[in-house]
Amino acid sequence: MSAITDERRPDDASAPDDATPPGGGQGRDALRQMGSPHRARNIKDTVARIVMWFCFFLAIVPLVWILWTVISKGAHLLGSMEWWTGNQRNINSDDAGGGARHAIEGTLQMVAVTAMIAVPIGIFTAVYLVEYGRGKLAKAISFTVDILSGVPSIVAALFIYAVWVTTFGLSRSGFAASLALVLLMIPVVVRSTEEMLKLVPNELREAAYALGVPKWVTVVKVVLRTAFSGIITGVLLGIARVMGETAPLLILAPYTKNFQRDLFAGNFPTLPMMINQDRGDFALATAAERMWAAALTLIILVLLLNIIGRVIAYFGSVKK
């Protein structure tokens, strides 16, 4: 036994420190091949990250450029109290000064009336399509919403003009422009609300039905509350969509430099029309400055509405 053991010890001692993997050379090649896909995935991941960041900065450049241009050229007038309290009455294009309160009030009033009409219609339509809509009627409604989504703003304005002015013989006014904006806002609210309602888990609906809760109560108390923050986001998108529209205002609501709080009284002041008014005299420094200041004011209003909407959505949503 000892002789046999002594004969085997030299062989064991001469064995290399790095043992050959099972399979010999073929096993080593297999391990190398297993590492190749891992390196390929790392390379693809790095390339994808580079492309993503490049596209991000490419999209940010025009946004930053626009904001910087508007702020640098229009922020001067916003620091004056006259801008927030006065109007443009008796202010010529080459005159300095004047305010934008009349246009700010008119824009907010018109958007408020538009939202009061479009938001309930859009939410009820989305609830019907998701919770109740079946058959040909639901398909027809969905097809109509798709058509409205692609309608240019000037076409919506011409349609309201044909009905409001030509057919019924009513005068152009701020309310007529609001009706055109309603046609533009409804599809945005419908589609965004519809997507949010589809994200609500069916288990929540089934749990309510199992407790004997009627369907309409389930929709109001469970589905809509769960999707509340998303619905608010859709409403804000719709408001931002119509707040800066100019074509319906050009056709249906001519601009006035005076205060006007009656949507049915003809000419109506709005920020987009104020921008368009001063754009015609862009060569004059005073008119150009008012144009940039009005554009910055419009951006600030949209930003404030989004912040208010986010706060409402945060405190009104269902807490986990």
Side-chain angles (χ1 to χ4, degrees):
M1 293 292 295
S2 60
I4 296 175
T5 304
D6 294 336
E7 291 177 358
R8 290 181 178 179
R9 282 176 182 174
D11 295 338
D12 296 339
S14 62
D17 295 335
D18 51 340
T20 302
Q26 294 180 355
R28 190 180 296 106
D29 295 338
L31 291 176
R32 283 199 297 265
Q33 292 177 3
M34 290 174 62
S36 298
H38 181 69
R39 290 194 298 270
R41 284 194 298 268
N42 288 337
I43 294 174
K44 292 179 181 178
D45 180 71
T46 303
V47 172
R49 289 175 181 271
I50 294 173
V51 172
M52 181 189 67
W53 282 107
F54 174 77
C55 294
F56 171 75
F57 286 112
L58 193 64
I60 285 294
V61 167
L63 176 62
V64 175
W65 186 14
I66 292 173
L67 289 176
W68 172 251
T69 303
V70 175
I71 293 173
S72 61
K73 296 184 177 182
H76 175 69
L77 286 180
L78 269 65
S80 173
M81 185 59 63
E82 184 183 8
W83 179 260
W84 303 101
T85 58
N87 59 4
Q88 294 293 314
R89 184 178 182 180
N90 299 326
I91 300 294
N92 298 322
S93 298
D94 56 348
D95 294 336
R101 179 181 171 183
H102 65 302
I104 296 173
E105 291 182 355
T107 300
L108 293 177
Q109 186 177 354
M110 184 176 293
V111 169
V113 172
T114 302
M116 288 174 60
I117 300 173
V119 171
I121 296 176
I123 293 178
F124 289 152
T125 302
V127 169
Y128 172 77
L129 292 176
V130 175
E131 303 295 335
Y132 299 94
R134 301 292 184 273
K136 295 182 179 180
L137 179 59
K139 293 181 180 179
I141 294 175
S142 181
F143 180 71
T144 304
V145 172
D146 291 336
I147 293 177
L148 286 176
S149 300
V151 170
S153 58
I154 192 170
V155 174
L158 291 174
F159 172 76
I160 297 298
Y161 183 89
V163 176
W164 186 264
V165 179
T166 305
T167 303
F168 294 105
L170 301 173
S171 62
R172 296 189 296 172
S173 61
F175 185 76
S178 295
L179 294 179
L181 297 178
V182 166
L183 297 179
L184 301 175
M185 186 174 177
I186 285 178
V188 179
V189 177
V190 171
R191 287 308 180 205
S192 58
T193 304
E194 188 177 359
E195 294 301 322
M196 292 300 105
L197 294 179
K198 290 180 179 179
L199 292 177
V200 177
N202 287 327
E203 289 77 6
L204 296 178
R205 299 179 176 89
E206 295 172 355
Y209 298 152
L211 295 174
V213 180
K215 186 169 185 176
W216 71 271
V217 177
T218 301
V219 171
V220 174
K221 296 292 186 179
V222 178
V223 178
L224 289 179
R225 286 198 62 189
T226 305
F228 181 74
S229 60
I231 294 174
I232 292 295
T233 301
V235 172
L236 294 175
L237 289 175
I239 291 176
R241 166 78 167 83
V242 302
M243 185 173 283
E245 283 291 343
T246 307
L249 306 179
L250 285 170
I251 297 174
L252 297 168
Y255 176 67
T256 178
K257 294 183 177 182
N258 300 325
F259 286 103
Q260 176 61 271
R261 297 179 177 87
D262 188 358
L263 283 170
F264 296 91
N267 294 7
F268 199 77
T270 53
L271 284 172
M273 289 300 294
M274 182 178 176
I275 296 171
N276 181 72
Q277 177 78 15
D278 291 321
R279 181 191 59 84
D281 300 314
F282 187 75
L284 301 174
T286 54
E289 190 176 30
R290 280 193 296 268
M291 183 196 72
W292 290 114
L296 181 58
T297 304
L298 185 60
I299 293 174
I300 292 175
L301 288 180
V302 175
L303 177 62
L304 289 177
L305 288 175
N306 276 272
I307 293 175
I308 294 173
R310 295 294 183 183
V311 172
I312 295 174
Y314 176 78
F315 288 102
S317 60
V318 177
K319 299 297 186 297
K320 295 183 179 180

